Amino acid sequence: MAFKLNDLVEICKKEEGFSGVYYTAILLAAVGRKRYLVRYENRFNEDGSRFLTEAVDSDEIRPSPPQPSGYNFAMAERVEAFVDFAWRVGTVIRKVDPNYYVKLDCNGKEHHCPFFKVRRHLEWQNGTWLSPATGLLLWSTGQLRALAFHFQHWIPLFASL
C-alpha cells in the first residue's frame, strides 16, 4: 500500500518482543520503494529529548484501524489495549463495568484497562481490514476514502440545520 505524507499510521516491528505491539506514528517520507521514515507519537530517542524518528519497512506499517465507538467486548474476545504507550494485542479475561482486564500476548501479563483504552483487534491484509475472529472483511482502503469523502461533504449540511 502506498502511504501519503503526514498519514497517521501504526508500526509493529518484526523484532523479538514487538510482536502484536503497535506504536502510533506520523509518516514523514518514503525512503526507497519499501521503507518509510516515521516519527513516533509515544516513543522517544535515547535521551528522551524528542520523539523517535526512524526508517521502517513497509511490511511493518499499517494505517490506523477504523473503530466503532461504544463497542462492548465479551470474555475471551481478541482486543488491543493501550498499555505503556502502545496498542498491544490481547484477550479480555474479565469485565468490571465499564472497564476490562486484558491478558497481553506480548508478555502474558494482565492489565486493568479503562474501556476507552480497549479497541477491537483487526488485521491489515492486502489493503483491507479483517476481523481475525470471524475472518470477515470489514473495510477496504477504497471504502475508507469514500467514507471520509462523504463525511467531508455531509458535515456542512448538518451544521446548517
Side-chain angles (χ1 to χ4, degrees):
M1 171 179 186
F3 294 100
K4 297 182 301 202
L5 181 67
N6 293 323
D7 275 356
L8 185 62
V9 295
E10 293 183 350
I11 311 301
C12 183
K13 303 292 288 180
K14 299 296 181 195
E15 301 166 19
E16 188 171 328
F18 287 96
S19 179
V21 179
Y22 295 91
Y23 290 95
T24 306
I26 301 291
L27 187 112
L28 300 177
V31 180
R33 292 180 186 238
K34 295 188 178 189
R35 290 181 60 83
Y36 292 91
L37 185 67
V38 299
R39 183 183 62 240
Y40 292 96
E41 292 192 325
N42 294 315
R43 291 183 71 195
F44 296 91
N45 64 355
E46 288 181 15
D47 66 7
S49 64
R50 63 179 188 261
F51 293 115
L52 178 63
T53 300
E54 71 176 352
V56 297
D57 294 334
S58 60
D59 65 348
E60 297 177 324
I61 302 175
R62 71 178 191 179
S64 292
Q67 293 297 324
S69 59
Y71 194 78
N72 189 17
F73 301 106
M75 293 283 294
E77 189 166 353
R78 301 290 288 156
V79 296
E80 295 173 10
F82 195 76
V83 175
D84 295 332
F85 304 109
W87 290 101
R88 298 169 188 268
V89 177
T91 305
V92 173
I93 57 171
R94 189 170 60 221
K95 183 174 182 182
V96 181
D97 280 332
N99 302 319
Y100 301 92
Y101 282 85
V102 177
K103 184 175 183 179
L104 303 180
D105 292 355
C106 60
N107 59 18
K109 293 183 179 177
E110 297 176 9
H111 287 271
H112 178 257
C113 301
F115 70 93
F116 57 89
K117 289 189 175 187
V118 178
R119 69 184 186 189
R120 190 174 184 192
H121 175 57
L122 301 174
E123 293 287 336
W124 180 248
Q125 294 178 4
N126 301 321
T128 59
W129 288 107
L130 299 173
S131 172
T134 63
L136 295 175
L137 167 69
L138 298 176
W139 296 98
S140 69
T141 305
Q143 287 173 318
L144 290 174
R145 286 191 181 125
L147 188 62
F149 175 80
H150 289 299
F151 276 135
Q152 178 183 6
H153 289 55
W154 290 340
I155 290 171
L157 291 174
F158 290 119
S160 64
L161 294 178

